[in-house]
Amino acid sequence: MFDQSSWKESIEKILLEGIVSKEKSMARITKILSTNTPNNRIQSEINQDTLELEVLEVELPLKCPLSLTRITVPARGCNCEHIQCFDLQSYVMLNYKVKSWKCPICNKNVGLKDLSVDEYIFEILKITTSMSDVERVVIDLTARWKIKISKPNVIDLTSEGDKDCQIIHSIVNLSLE
């Protein structure tokens, strides 16, 4: 039988002991991006003068890869080498049932003692919480972030015989081009 109090106690303990400060998280992000590892799903640019590959930024999903919902408490394994997080509660609840204890991003073993909560990613989630359409952000080399704009939804405003709506539709189409 699944014991709900056990996983809740585990989460409370992690929230008390496993917080990674904003400053440490930003330093970690800068270090990860400067190493230019392929696992970080980085966007890169070739510097034509030196023919070196230069990391510009990384996209960070704000949805949990397990629950496919927006992350509430961003967590990852202490030994994971990626920036992306998963939702702490989703991870702990799933692993109390399945007992896999593997990072859903890099597949490393991540037990309860190995989990940490990222204060910087938590801040990003908090700031963007009222923006329901924001599903990812972009983080640059200095760990500054910006919202990743998704393709806008195009709404067909035209109706048969309605010239005003056709004019508005034309304006909308021109602004999207």
Side-chain angles (χ1 to χ4, degrees):
M1 185 172 161
F2 181 63
D3 183 8
Q4 186 173 356
S5 64
S6 294
W7 66 260
K8 283 187 175 183
E9 288 172 12
S10 297
I11 289 173
E12 287 173 9
K13 185 175 181 179
I14 294 164
L15 291 173
L16 287 173
E17 300 171 4
I19 305 279
V20 174
S21 73
K22 177 181 175 178
E23 293 75 22
K24 283 185 178 179
S25 177
M26 291 174 74
R28 181 182 178 280
I29 289 168
T30 302
K31 181 181 177 187
I32 288 172
L33 289 179
S34 68
T35 60
N36 198 11
T37 59
N39 293 338
N40 293 326
R41 297 186 184 108
I42 53 180
Q43 295 181 1
S44 303
E45 182 176 280
I46 295 178
N47 183 332
Q48 294 300 326
D49 296 333
T50 60
L51 293 177
E52 293 177 352
L53 191 61
E54 188 176 319
V55 178
L56 298 176
E57 57 192 24
V58 64
E59 282 189 20
L60 178 72
L62 301 179
K63 286 189 173 183
C64 175
L66 296 169
S67 67
L68 303 178
T69 60
R70 187 175 175 87
I71 296 169
T72 305
V73 179
R76 85 172 68 73
C78 297
N79 296 319
C80 293
E81 297 173 7
H82 49 80
I83 297 169
Q84 185 178 354
C85 293
F86 45 83
D87 184 69
L88 178 63
Q89 182 175 328
S90 298
Y91 182 78
V92 173
M93 282 177 56
L94 175 73
N95 283 293
Y96 263 90
K97 292 178 183 177
V98 178
K99 307 223 183 286
S100 151
W101 301 104
K102 298 263 187 198
C103 174
I105 299 156
C106 67
N107 210 32
K108 285 187 178 179
N109 290 327
V110 180
L112 287 171
K113 292 183 273 184
D114 304 319
L115 285 168
S116 64
V117 173
D118 191 310
E119 189 176 63
Y120 182 56
I121 306 300
F122 184 79
E123 181 180 284
I124 293 170
L125 287 159
K126 186 177 175 186
I127 291 169
T128 61
T129 195
S130 64
M131 304 170 208
S132 60
D133 57 335
V134 175
E135 295 181 2
R136 55 188 61 238
V137 295
V138 177
I139 300 180
D140 70 15
L141 286 169
T142 61
R144 287 181 295 169
W145 65 276
K146 61 186 175 188
I147 294 170
K148 172 75 174 176
I149 304 295
S150 301
K151 185 177 177 182
N153 293 334
V154 179
I155 302 169
D156 188 2
L157 299 173
T158 62
S159 61
E160 290 292 319
D162 190 346
K163 290 184 181 183
D164 291 336
C165 283
Q166 289 175 352
I167 291 169
I168 292 170
H169 185 68
S170 298
I171 293 169
V172 170
N173 280 340
L174 285 174
S175 67
L176 292 175
E177 294 178 353

